[in-house]
Amino acid sequence: MTRSVVGWRAGGRAVYTQIAEMLEREIRERYEPGQMLPSEAELAERFGVNRHTVRRAVEALIGPGLVERVHGKGTVVLNPAIDYAIGSATRFTETLHSQGRSTASRVFRKLVIPAVGGVARRLNLEDGTAVLFIETLREVEGQPFCIISHFLPASRFSEVKDHYEQGSLHGFLKEHYALSLRRTESLISAVLPERDDALRLRMARNAPVLRVKSLNVDTATGEPVEYAVTRFRGDAAQLSIRP
Amino acid sequence: MTRSVVGWRAGGRAVYTQIAEMLEREIRERYEPGQMLPSEAELAERFGVNRHTVRRAVEALIGPGLVERVHGKGTVVLNPAIDYAIGSATRFTETLHSQGRSTASRVFRKLVIPAVGGVARRLNLEDGTAVLFIETLREVEGQPFCIISHFLPASRFSEVKDHYEQGSLHGFLKEHYALSLRRTESLISAVLPERDDALRLRMARNAPVLRVKSLNVDTATGEPVEYAVTRFRGDAAQLSIRP
DNA sequence: TAGTGGTCTAGACCACGCA
DNA sequence: GCGTGGTCTAGACCACTAG
């Protein structure tokens, strides 16, 4: 029953692979995040293949996190600009020392939430105490590099909530509170990214993330001031530690 | 044409999911690494489903690295004892300080190879100079924890090649060469595991690994003595850094 | 209810590894 | 050449979402 329109078999490569590549190119060139792909039936007709074959092709785009299927709705484009090929050649080294003190970060979330679990414990607060929760995104050479979740006792830092918008958080604290911070603890681990982090970091969901949890205390009093969780793109970051 | 033997649909869950679970249980209980699964045709007949359905089930076991398909041969069991559920609750914290100095490591590879690239550069050797390449596996509470690749100048450490078998490499160096080592540099990154590492660490191939490259020099002379690359299971290890 | 993705069946042929 | 996995087609029905 094989009709195989013109030259599918030409390359000797699987049809679904070729379709996947065409779709990927189209998505990168013509789609914005959030847009819907044509339905599987439409794609099947357009490429002159069975619906199962386009399904297989679409599956190849799900792995790297390019699209996502939503049952009953359709296939939605996640992030056409994911850069697969940063590679270790262009890996940026981050000195643990300077981490969090950089200037090129942008705030994309700022809320007051109740402290729970590890956050409360590390900031030495009662469970449920209000903390200021700030999330910043940092880019390096135009590429997303890391996301930092900052937690600070809300009572003490109301001014941060109202006025900190970008730049270095530690710089802001120093300026407005005459605070000098000292890092007391860093915990480093390798994990897979949360969905939202993968999107913001423009990375695949099955690619690794380097996560650093760190606690900063007031140099003068020793009191905990900030707890931060940083997620670096695994393919872009490398931490350097020197004793 | 649906025959659906007895109660497949009972759970409301997909047939291929249920078959995948049954296969997984069987593999863990009755298979050794390297054994072949029955052919897809056999499995299809046994479960009373179409071959495509068992294929789908087997695909679910490929992702986590439980089995591997070999075109023309069959489906081979990789490592039935992979532990999916170590979770962060039982994450072990490794102090960067003690890393490599632990006692519970076992040598599984020991060769002399020519130094190239980063190895030669960091050990301050000419490209092509012979280096001793040792790989050790360390376990924590009976579970594989990390793999370390050690590189040492071969000319200086012939005795290591002949006599070091287990325990602490740094201890061995101290005993036999009266050497005391100092870590000068550590580079930490998050990556996906190499195939062999995944097998030895009994982990899924799509789960992250925490990789630490470190250089140790002779405390007395400052001469580079050992370059090491450590790969930790991401779900089991957490590095702790204290200034 | 119409349209979308999700699952399953049935059958065909291809590509690879091995004896 | 046989047996294995790899791909593709064809058609059916289910489950979910939204108007």
Side-chain angles (χ1 to χ4, degrees), chain B residues 122-123 182-185 213-217 224 226-228:
Chain B
R122 285 175 232 241
L123 290 178
R182 180 171 53 88
R183 177 190 307 275
T184 62
E185 179 194 11
K213 301 180 177 180
S214 49
L215 183 63
N216 286 292
V217 303
E226 181 212 28
Y227 173 56

Side-chain angles (χ1 to χ4, degrees), chain A residues 37-128:
Chain A
L37 234 51
S39 75
E40 295 175 347
E42 281 178 82
L43 289 173
E45 188 182 9
R46 175 181 143 200
F47 289 113
V49 299
N50 190 275
R51 178 182 154 216
H52 288 108
T53 306
V54 297
R55 270 182 75 77
R56 192 86 154 76
V58 169
E59 261 148 35
L61 307 180
I62 292 178
L66 210 65
V67 300
E68 181 183 40
R69 286 210 191 102
V70 184
H71 196 171
K73 293 186 67 177
T75 304
V76 52
V77 171
L78 288 184
N79 200 326
I82 286 179
D83 178 10
Y84 293 90
I86 282 208
S88 53
T90 55
R91 191 179 280 244
F92 294 99
T93 299
E94 175 86 355
T95 313
L96 187 54
H97 215 67
S98 70
Q99 186 222 319
R101 297 191 169 82
S102 127
T103 54
S105 50
R106 184 173 55 75
V107 174
F108 62 85
R109 197 144 66 153
K110 202 159 58 172
L111 313 164
V112 175
I113 60 171
V116 290
V119 172
R121 197 183 72 243
R122 284 176 232 240
L123 289 178
N124 203 14
L125 298 173
E126 294 277 323
D127 231 70

Side-chain angles (χ1 to χ4, degrees), chain B residues 25 28 44 76 137 213 228 231:
Chain B
R25 219 173 309 129
R28 289 184 190 287
V76 53
L137 173 68
K213 301 180 177 180
R231 287 87 80 200

Side-chain angles (χ1 to χ4, degrees), chain A residues 10-29:
Chain A
R13 296 158 58 241
V15 176
Y16 77 85
T17 306
Q18 302 176 50
I19 294 180
E21 284 167 8
M22 293 166 72
L23 283 177
E24 176 175 343
R25 218 173 310 130
E26 281 183 29
I27 288 171
R28 288 185 191 287
E29 289 171 3

